[in-house]
Every structure is written in C-alpha cells, then in structure tokens.
Amino acid sequence: MRALVYHGPAQISWDTVPDPGIEEATDAIVRVGATTICGSDLRILRGDLPEVKPGTVLGHEAVGEVVEVGDEVRHLRPGDQVIVSSVSACGDCRACRDAMYGQCGGGGGWILGSLINGTQAEFVRVPFADHSTTRRPSDLPLKDAVLLAELLPTAYEVGVRNGHVSPGDTVVVVGAGPVGLATVIVARLYSPRRVIVVDLAGARLENAVRVGADAAESPGAMIAELAEGPGADVAIEASGDPDGFVLCTRAVRAGGHIANIGAHGGPVTLHLESLWRKNLTISTGQVDTSSTPWLLELMRFERLPVSPLVTHTFGLDSVEDAYEVFAGGTASGALKVVLRGE
C-alpha cells in the first residue's frame, strides 16, 4: 500500500510500505476513506515528540470501511463503515472502565501515528477495534464524519465540558485554529451569553465570527476590559502558546474555570503568586472520544454546523501538498484539511 512515512524531523514521504495485517485477535483492518492532518502531526515534524520513530506512518484520525477483523472482534464485520478514534481503548483497564480512553493502561491511548503506524495511508490496523471505532451512518458525509475522530470530541470534552460552560456564561476562547473554532460551535449548545475569540490572525478572527462567535479580536482592549471588570466565566486555551495561557489567566473571573486544550511543546509559567486568591479551577486533558456517539447524533440532526471547518480537500496521494497548506494555515486560510482515499 501507499502511506505517508515519517523519516525524522521535517522529513516525510509518500512511500510504498507493506500492507498491515491482523497482529492481535482484537484488531481490525480498515480501508481509509478519509483522513486529516492534526496539529500534533506538525509537532512530530518539528521534533517535539521524540517517541515517534522514523519509519512510522503518520495520522490518527480516519473514517473508512472494515475489510478484515480478528477472531475476538465481536461488533464489527467486513463491509462496516466506521469512524476510527484518535485514541485506542483496550476496554478492560481501570481508565477505560471510567471512559478515560486517552489514559488507557492496557496498551491503548494515543498510539496511532505515534507508537504504531497510523491513518494517513490506504489501510490502517486498528487495535482494540470493538472499543476504538464508531459506526458511521450512511447519511453522514466522510468529510464531516472525520471531524468526529478527534476534533469535535476534543472541543467538547477538553474544552466545553472541562470548562463547565453553562447557560448565561461569558466564554473566552484563545486561539482560532480548528479546535478553537470547533469549541465555539460546541459551546453554542449550552446557550452562553457571549463567546469571545482571541487570535493574532485576521482571517481566523473572521472565521470565528462566521461560526458563531459574538466578538473576535486580537489581544488587546477586550481582554483588558474583562481583566479589569467582571471577567469571563470560562477561558479556554486552544492555541498551544504559553502567552495564550497567560491571556486566559488574565481574562477569567474569580471563581471561574480555565480549560487548557492546547498542546504545549515547552514550559508554561503558572503565576500562582497572583492567581492563588482567585479560586480558579484549571483543567487539562487528553481527549477520550467517549462523546463521539453523542456528537454524531447532534451532527446528524444538524445541531453542529461543522462544514465550514473543512476548508481544503486533497486526494490521499497529495498528502505532502496538504501538509504544506495546513502548516501555512494563517496564510492559506486552511483549517481542517481532508484527505480522500480512492
């Protein structure tokens, strides 16, 4: 098969590699119908994740067709259309029994495109397939369904739910990339009073307004007003930038919540000398994707208008071009880039 292979920092190529096969009785082999690129893939290319070894096929989000299953797979059969979760869940460990699949202690967690070969390929081996896939209804388009593999569950679980967004809240989202905009869309389900988005890129601020933000601006007067006034009930860090986290601590009110989504590649300063008196709750998290079935139903009934998040579509064999467009998102306007299989 053909796949995108990582050769070390800043080195990838679209190569011919051996077809994946069943290695464990709980595996399934899925023909990839659509996959996408994540900010974590760019972190791998920057060398921020040394646990990813050269020779690994990248990617951890996909939808496709089951073509083979192991002897212990009970709920799938060849021909089924599935959403492949970005995290793998053994289903038996304590974390999985608590629906904390991202913390799986039985060999799962974020392993696709990290510790084992991933989804930016014609076929992918899916470990723990019964617990790591969700059936895709035939009326849900591939380009929308692939957002359920990681993006939307991350926005909901790590941002909106961890941040305890509630009716009447003022919510600040720092970072208007794909996950920040997805957070705006999901937060709207909870009837906040205002959703304010902060970013440095003008085009992304325009996108934020299009997907439902009440206000969008560069860091400046609005954050200063919040810091000096009532403050935000919830501040959600979705940029992965240390300065973004500092903005959240300035914008949030006493007794409020900070939910950190952004994956920080370096140290971030926590100014407890000024924050200890504010009674804040700060949460972090690895997505679990336990919410995927619920989000899927919302999407089917048109409660989640996510189509604007997909800005570019490429054939899978053009994945190297897709990486260039995605990496230059502030110039290209790219949000989610979908790669279609044949």
Side-chain angles (χ1 to χ4, degrees), residues 208-229:
V209 173
R210 277 197 288 270
V211 301
D214 297 294
E217 68 163 36
S218 299
M222 193 175 297
I223 294 297
E225 289 173 10
L226 284 170
E228 295 171 5

Side-chain angles (χ1 to χ4, degrees), residues 245-255 258 269-282:
F245 184 81
V246 173
L247 277 177
C248 287
T249 64
R250 290 182 57 208
V252 71
R253 66 169 174 81
I258 297 174
T269 301
L270 178 63
H271 288 285
L272 284 176
E273 74 280 4
S274 58
L275 295 176
W276 68 268
R277 68 178 66 225
K278 290 188 72 172
N279 290 30
L280 298 180
T281 299
I282 300 174

Side-chain angles (χ1 to χ4, degrees), residues 112-200:
L112 286 172
S114 172
L115 302 182
I116 66 172
N117 286 336
T119 60
Q120 291 167 7
E122 294 176 326
F123 296 90
V124 60
R125 178 178 72 89
V126 181
F128 311 116
D130 277 336
H131 303 289
S132 306
T133 59
T134 301
R135 295 285 185 89
R136 178 181 71 88
S138 60
D139 60 349
L140 186 63
L142 291 177
K143 69 180 182 64
D144 291 343
V146 76
L147 303 180
L148 291 163
E150 181 179 55
L151 180 69
L152 288 171
T154 298
Y156 169 62
E157 296 172 9
V158 188
V160 173
R161 186 175 67 188
N162 279 3
H164 295 271
V165 174
S166 301
D169 279 352
T170 294
V171 179
V172 169
V173 179
V174 177
V179 72
L181 298 182
T183 300
V184 173
I185 293 170
V186 177
R188 279 289 171 204
L189 295 171
Y190 290 84
S191 301
R193 185 172 71 88
R194 295 182 76 202
V195 178
I196 300 166
V197 175
V198 179
D199 199 283
L200 295 174

Side-chain angles (χ1 to χ4, degrees), residues 2-264:
R2 302 281 282 171
L4 187 76
V5 181
Y6 172 69
H7 299 290
Q11 300 177 65
I12 52 174
S13 61
W14 180 244
D15 292 343
T16 299
V17 300
D19 290 348
I22 299 293
E23 298 181 15
E24 303 289 343
T26 53
D27 290 348
I29 306 300
V30 173
R31 177 186 290 111
V32 175
T35 183
T36 185
I37 304 169
C38 176
S40 297
D41 297 319
L42 299 184
R43 291 183 63 210
I44 292 170
L45 288 186
R46 291 197 298 265
D48 291 346
L49 300 172
E51 63 269 26
V52 182
K53 304 302 181 187
T56 302
V57 175
L58 296 184
H60 50 272
E61 304 163 77
V63 292
E65 178 184 351
V66 176
V67 296
E68 186 180 358
V69 297
D71 292 341
E72 294 181 13
V73 175
R74 299 288 178 256
H75 304 300
L76 298 175
R77 64 178 184 272
D80 286 344
Q81 297 291 324
V82 295
I83 300 164
V84 178
S85 172
S86 62
V87 295
S88 303
C90 76
D92 294 324
C93 69
R94 178 174 180 176
C96 285
R97 291 196 299 272
D98 290 337
M100 295 174 59
Y101 307 135
Q103 307 299 323
C104 174
W110 177 33
I111 57 175
L112 286 172
S114 172
L115 302 182
I116 66 172
N117 286 336
T119 60
Q120 291 167 7
E122 294 176 326
F123 296 90
V124 60
R125 178 178 72 89
V126 181
F128 311 116
D130 277 336
H131 303 289
S132 306
T133 59
T134 301
R135 295 285 185 89
R136 178 181 71 88
S138 60
D139 60 349
L140 186 63
L142 291 177
K143 69 180 182 64
D144 291 343
V146 76
L147 303 180
L148 291 163
E150 181 179 55
L151 180 69
L152 288 171
T154 298
Y156 169 62
E157 296 172 9
V158 188
V160 173
R161 186 175 67 188
N162 279 3
H164 295 271
V165 174
S166 301
D169 279 352
T170 294
V171 179
V172 169
V173 179
V174 177
V179 72
L181 298 182
T183 300
V184 173
I185 293 170
V186 177
R188 279 289 171 204
L189 295 171
Y190 290 84
S191 301
R193 185 172 71 88
R194 295 182 76 202
V195 178
I196 300 166
V197 175
V198 179
D199 199 283
L200 295 174
R204 290 193 162 183
L205 294 174
E206 293 173 8
N207 287 330
V209 173
R210 277 197 288 270
V211 301
D214 297 294
E217 68 163 36
S218 299
M222 193 175 297
I223 294 297
E225 289 173 10
L226 284 170
E228 295 171 5
D233 301 285
V234 183
I236 298 174
E237 205 300 299
S239 71
D241 188 290
D243 290 339
F245 184 81
V246 173
L247 277 177
C248 287
T249 64
R250 290 182 57 208
V252 71
R253 66 169 174 81
H257 292 80
I258 297 174
N260 185 86
I261 297 176
H264 296 275

